[in-house]
Amino acid sequence: MEKRPFITKDQAESIAAKFPTPFHLYDEAGLRENAKRVQQAFSWNKGFREYFAVKANPNPFLMKIMHEYGCGCDCSSMTELMLSEAIGIIGEEVMFSSNDTPVEEFSKAAAMGAIINLDDITQIDVVEKTLGYLPEKMSCRFNPGGMFAISNEIMDNPGDAKYGMTEKQLFEAFRILKEKGVKEFGLHSFLCSNTVSNDYYPMLAKILFELAVRLARETGVHISFINLSGGVGIPYRPDQESNDILVIGEGVRKVYEEVLSAAGMDDVAIYTEMGRFMTGPYGCLVTRAINEKHIYKEYVGVDACAVNLMRPAMYGAYHHITVLGKEDAPHDHVYDVTGSLCENNDKFAIDRDLPEVETGDLLVIHDTGAHGFSMGYNYNGKLRSAEILWRTDHTPQLIRRAETPKDYFATFDGFDFYEQLAK
Ligand SMILES: *Cc1c(COP(=O)(O)O)cnc(C)c1O
């Protein structure tokens, strides 16, 4: 499928005249339509809730938009919990799915009334000691081990992942929790990241639903929710077809009837914790070409770098690039598109077919709405960019300003940068 940016060159130039590049831009209309579709896809399930995975894009403006469509927050750190609390998302609208968890975070989650999802059986004692009690509703994370495949294609390797409990531990954990007075149980698992397939959730659902039936029978617990977690992917490449969340929801519904309803467990709520699928396609990184270089290869240097979007450098991930105003020009040049870090992996694209890029051109790097800004860092003294919401009325709203050198120099203890400079 052809990938088109959600803004034109003129629109991007008018935003850039107000807020200098680089910046992440988010498409409010796209975010809203998608959030609405997710609710629709699972409307057959009475207790359904999407807990937006905050780590994908921890911006309160976006979290609030999704909350309007019933989305809660999936948090896994202190600051994510604090952010959620600050915008009024508390209680059972918060899922705390963490691992290697510092005890203060369990306290914070419990104080907010969040549902705690235990990553390990050893955490039962830790939580009980920390809080002095166990919440009435608790969840456990399952890791089935081995390889996970869809239609013979290996998708991921849960056996090599640090998360979750073995099946044996899970049964044991449910028994212990029940004995200690826990009344409502949840089951959670995340097997595979960025699945561009409508089959992932239904397959995972089948595994978890069947397990839930056995758990309920053998331990006598009441399972009140099953959390399919994240992992629903997006088509980063133009040759990939996007998932259809309505088909996915219907696939889960079928398995629900076959397994849970058939076992008399039709009061189980379905939860999801999607991050990438909720915001990924509705963000882009807008950056300007500021240098060209012709050596053994052709380079376009832009004013963003890997600190603004680390996925290409870290995972070799593909992000589509559009040169604004040249959408329909022949892609008859081959470039490496680079940032300015003193690291050779600071490349947004390698050997990419693009139209001729001239210094001053604006480039849109697609699909940065999830795990984009949020994975940012400050290497080489580079600063985090602004985040801008492209509102439904096609006006830009600054929802996070760009960092300034002052922010970067603010954390030295006993060395006031600006005082020293003034001397
Ligand atoms: C990262 C993560 C998610 C979100 O994953 P996506 O691939 O962005 O959908 C959900 N739940 C947990 C526990 C996670 O760690």
Side-chain angles (χ1 to χ4, degrees):
M1 214 177 66
E2 195 192 358
K3 271 181 156 328
R4 288 258 171 182
F6 55 83
I7 41 156
T8 64
K9 177 176 195 271
D10 287 349
Q11 289 169 335
E13 284 292 2
S14 78
I15 301 169
K18 225 171 145 187
F19 310 109
T21 56
F23 50 80
H24 285 270
L25 186 69
Y26 304 119
D27 171 21
E28 181 180 3
L31 282 166
R32 287 183 180 277
E33 275 163 36
N34 184 64
K36 204 188 291 179
R37 244 187 335 262
V38 167
Q39 296 302 322
Q40 193 190 335
F42 289 93
S43 58
W44 54 267
N45 181 254
K46 208 164 134 247
F48 173 74
R49 179 171 281 138
E50 150 69 6
Y51 289 87
F52 172 61
V54 174
K55 72 166 190 240
N57 198 327
N59 188 301
F61 291 87
L62 306 188
M63 290 156 71
K64 272 191 200 164
I65 288 174
M66 283 179 283
H67 190 232
E68 284 180 39
Y69 300 89
C71 301
C73 289
D74 163 36
C75 302
S76 59
S77 70
M78 183 63 91
T79 49
E80 289 177 3
L81 287 167
M82 291 165 73
L83 189 52
S84 179
E85 183 180 37
I87 57 179
I89 301 179
I90 53 165
E92 292 201 359
E93 284 195 313
V94 180
M95 183 70 58
F96 185 55
S97 285
S98 61
N99 70 93
D100 186 21
T101 312
V103 290
E104 315 82 72
E105 299 186 1
F106 283 131
S107 303
K108 179 69 184 170
M112 284 169 62
I115 302 174
I116 293 175
N117 181 27
L118 295 174
D119 181 63
D120 192 60
I121 192 163
T122 56
Q123 304 290 284
I124 297 175
D125 278 348
V126 174
V127 171
E128 192 178 30
K129 280 208 186 84
T130 305
L131 305 182
Y133 66 93
L134 285 174
E136 281 205 349
K137 190 179 214 173
M138 294 204 80
S139 172
C140 291
R141 182 167 183 167
F142 172 52
N143 180 338
M147 289 285 183
F148 182 74
I150 298 181
S151 333
N152 291 323
E153 191 192 341
I154 289 178
M155 305 291 286
D156 221 321
N157 185 356
D160 208 26
K162 65 174 175 172
Y163 311 105
M165 310 180 195
T166 67
E167 186 172 309
K168 193 160 162 258
Q169 289 172 334
L170 192 66
F171 277 81
E172 170 94 5
F174 272 39
R175 281 197 188 95
I176 297 171
L177 289 169
K178 183 174 178 240
E179 227 172 72
K180 289 180 180 285
V182 174
K183 302 236 161 15
E184 303 286 330
F185 288 75
L187 186 56
H188 170 283
S189 193
F190 189 154
L191 300 187
C192 195
S193 199
N194 194 28
T195 55
V196 188
S197 159
N198 291 330
D199 297 332
Y200 171 63
Y201 260 6
M203 281 185 70
L204 171 64
K206 190 164 181 337
I207 294 170
L208 292 182
F209 294 171
E210 285 172 352
L211 181 59
V213 172
R214 281 194 289 132
L215 277 163
R217 285 200 182 130
E218 288 176 33
T219 66
V221 302
H222 180 237
I223 294 183
S224 55
F225 69 85
I226 290 174
N227 186 343
L228 302 175
S229 190
V232 178
I234 60 169
Y236 286 100
R237 291 176 179 274
D239 59 359
Q240 289 176 307
E241 201 177 325
S242 30
N243 289 334
D244 184 337
I245 197 67
L246 298 178
V247 172
I248 291 174
E250 177 57 20
V252 174
R253 190 191 64 76
K254 273 206 193 104
V255 186
Y256 190 101
E257 286 202 344
E258 282 164 22
V259 182
L260 289 180
S261 302
M265 290 170 64
D266 55 5
D267 62 341
V268 176
I270 299 300
Y271 293 166
T272 56
E273 290 173 341
M274 292 180 279
R276 195 184 312 271
F277 189 79
M278 300 307 289
T279 53
Y282 315 108
C284 63
L285 177 58
V286 180
T287 182
R288 200 179 288 282
I290 56 171
N291 285 296
E292 54 182 273
K293 178 162 182 168
H294 317 278
I295 48 170
Y296 309 104
K297 298 181 85 173
E298 295 293 296
Y299 293 95
V300 171
V302 296
D303 60 4
C305 62
V307 306
N308 307 114
L309 175 68
M310 135 194 265
R311 298 186 70 258
M314 188 175 185
Y315 310 120
Y318 181 95
H319 278 263
H320 199 63
I321 296 179
T322 300
V323 184
L324 287 176
K326 298 182 179 174
E327 286 84 348
D328 298 312
H331 285 40
D332 52 5
H333 285 65
V334 180
Y335 295 110
D336 282 14
V337 179
T338 79
S340 56
L341 293 186
C342 303
E343 277 230 45
N344 199 41
N345 68 0
D346 183 16
K347 295 182 177 180
F348 291 115
I350 296 173
D351 298 330
R352 184 72 58 88
D353 292 336
L354 288 173
E356 180 170 19
V357 180
E358 289 152 287
T359 296
D361 279 347
L362 282 179
L363 276 63
V364 159
I365 303 178
H366 292 247
D367 302 315
T368 68
H371 314 295
F373 180 94
S374 63
M375 290 177 85
Y377 56 107
N378 281 121
Y379 190 53
N380 257 180
K382 297 289 177 179
L383 305 175
R384 288 179 177 79
S385 79
E387 293 183 289
I388 298 168
L389 183 65
W390 183 239
R391 290 194 291 213
T392 48
D393 65 359
H394 288 185
T395 57
Q397 178 188 353
L398 187 66
I399 56 173
R400 190 193 305 254
R401 68 162 171 82
E403 275 181 351
T404 64
K406 202 171 169 187
D407 297 313
Y408 183 72
F409 295 131
T411 48
F412 299 123
D413 202 6
F415 180 89
D416 185 321
F417 178 86
Y418 287 92
E419 211 172 88
Q420 295 293 323
L421 203 61
K423 271 187 192 163

